[in-house]
Amino acid sequence: EYAQADAAQTDEAIARLQKTLELDADYRLANMFAARAYIEKGMFPEALDATRRATERASSVSIVRTS
């Protein structure tokens, strides 16, 4: 029962994260959480894609410092 409930929560998380990423594909944190959820489900190609999107987005973000 616990494993089924955990799997259902992961499925729900993936569905919500996919909706979030449809609205903003550049949302790095959502991509990172999606990668983790995909790994839990054994969806490794999807996890790799989400990880790449998260790291690509991170490298394109510049940090602005003010003094």
Side-chain angles (χ1 to χ4, degrees), residues 7-28:
Q9 287 179 340
T10 302
D11 290 339
E12 178 67 21
I14 289 171
R16 289 178 185 225
L17 287 162
Q18 287 173 336
K19 287 180 183 178
T20 299
L21 291 167
E22 285 175 13
L23 297 172
D24 183 2
D26 293 337
Y27 190 3
R28 182 174 170 251

Side-chain angles (χ1 to χ4, degrees), residues 31-32 35 45-59:
N31 277 300
M32 292 171 52
E46 293 87 347
L48 183 57
D49 288 342
T51 300
R52 284 185 179 145
R53 284 191 306 273
T55 56
E56 287 170 1
R57 304 301 187 241
S59 65

Side-chain angles (χ1 to χ4, degrees), residues 31-46:
N31 277 300
M32 292 171 52
F33 282 126
R36 182 175 179 186
Y38 287 137
I39 289 169
E40 288 181 21
K41 295 289 292 181
M43 301 168 69
F44 301 113
E46 293 87 347

